[in-house]
Amino acid sequence: MNKINLKGYTLTQMEEFLKQLGEPAYRAKQIFKWIYKGQTQFENMTDLPKKLIKKLENSAYISMVNIYKKYESDIDETVKYIFLLEDRNMVESVKMKYSFGITACISSQVGCPMGCVFCASTEGGIVRNLSWGEMTDEVLAIENDSNEKVSRVVVMGSGEPLLNYEELIQFLKVMNSPLAFNISLRRLTVSTCGIVPGIIRLSEEGMPITLAVSLHAPNDDIRNSLMPINKQYPILQLLDACKYYIIKTKRRITFEYVLISNINDTEQCAQELSNLLEDLLCHVNLIPLNPVEGKNLNRSDPVRVRRFEKILLDEGISTTVRREMGGDIKAACGQLRRSLLMG
Ligand code: SAH
């Protein structure tokens, strides 16, 4: 008999499974809690009777990703992990340390289909979606390895989370569940390149997480040249979806804006951007471009970054410059890529 993987079972599915084993439903809750504490061995689940442990060992297992490689930054305490999945694909995740705790930046797909010209994750295209169990494993593996609790999760690694919608929602539910990670919704962030139907669906989910939208340009001409998705969902459509999200969730949206020298970092761009975002409940996060090999794009110099920031601030738009973390280990935004097994 093939053993089933209990990671990736919702609580309801787990209850159903226990019923089939002739066990009471409350056992499901106990097992569920153990799994998301990082336990992979039934014999270590100390509140289960021996007989049940035997039954579980015969019929089920709990998967866990393996750390294939780990890079630790010398400039900050950022750690980049390359995880090996059960099917031998690999994904990257990043652990960042802030004064308020640990943030895990996790991937939602192996590879990425979006084709943004400044990003390493999309080279080689998309391989497959991650399951919610695999996304959860990224967080668990970071906690297990570092012996620290993750207090914030950002789905900002490789992949476009809103193209993996059902798994994303289930993942967020487990992150938020008091039986599992118990992370509040506002400490969960999803970053999207602007999949309009996904944003609308998320608005109606009754799950007011923090939404980050990769805008990167103040008009369609520039955005078309940087992000192919803009041809499908141009800026005004995207902003309409964002307004809907704000109305439904009452949450402020974060707009990410990568600053690329002489492409989207001029005074005129800043002015245009502030006109575009006027009256919107939002925050702008400026990200000086992180270098990606083989791309002929340069990061804006610090003077231009400050000038851009000042124009937005003067127009009354809440703006910050994102602190780069893990640049020396290629763990910064846009630097995560798909690794391949050698041999
Ligand atoms: N697909 C999602 C999430 C992954 S990217 C999205 O597009 O939002 C996470 C963030 O890093 C996005 O804002 C992305 O545009 C940004 N990014 C990509 N490449 C970058 C680079 N070279 N330098 C800085 N930020 C980059």
Side-chain angles (χ1 to χ4, degrees), residues 118-119 156-157 159-160 191-193 214 216 256 258 289-290 333-334:
F118 44 80
C119 183
M156 279 193 191
E160 171 46 51
S191 179
T192 177
C193 66
S214 298
H216 306 329
E256 294 158 289
V258 172
L289 181 82
N290 294 309
C333 302

Side-chain angles (χ1 to χ4, degrees), residues 105-106 108-109 112 114 116-121 155-162 190-194 212-216 227 255-260 287-292 295 297 299 322 332-336:
C105 174
I106 70 128
S108 55
Q109 297 181 312
C112 180
M114 302 317 308
C116 299
V117 302
F118 44 80
C119 183
S121 303
V155 187
M156 279 193 191
S158 299
E160 171 46 51
L162 294 186
V190 169
S191 179
T192 177
C193 66
V213 174
S214 298
L215 191 57
H216 306 329
M227 305 175 73
F255 288 106
E256 294 158 289
Y257 194 104
V258 172
L259 285 167
I260 311 173
I287 317 169
L289 181 82
N290 294 309
V292 172
K295 312 229 178 244
L297 298 168
R299 133 194 317 235
R322 185 176 291 174
C333 302
Q335 293 184 317
L336 300 187

Side-chain angles (χ1 to χ4, degrees), residues 200-217:
I200 291 171
R201 207 170 154 194
L202 189 61
S203 311
E204 294 168 350
E205 201 66 61
M207 213 189 216
I209 55 152
T210 303
L211 182 65
V213 174
S214 298
L215 191 57
H216 306 329

Side-chain angles (χ1 to χ4, degrees), residues 16-50:
E16 194 49 46
F17 172 70
L18 278 144
K19 213 154 94 197
Q20 283 167 17
L21 291 183
E23 297 284 338
Y26 72 90
R27 294 287 181 208
K29 218 180 243 180
Q30 290 174 307
I31 299 168
F32 193 83
K33 275 192 190 167
W34 278 114
I35 292 179
Y36 298 105
K37 263 189 214 155
Q39 190 51 256
T40 56
Q41 302 303 319
F42 295 117
E43 60 184 359
N44 295 337
M45 300 184 177
T46 47
D47 52 1
L48 300 184
K50 290 260 172 340

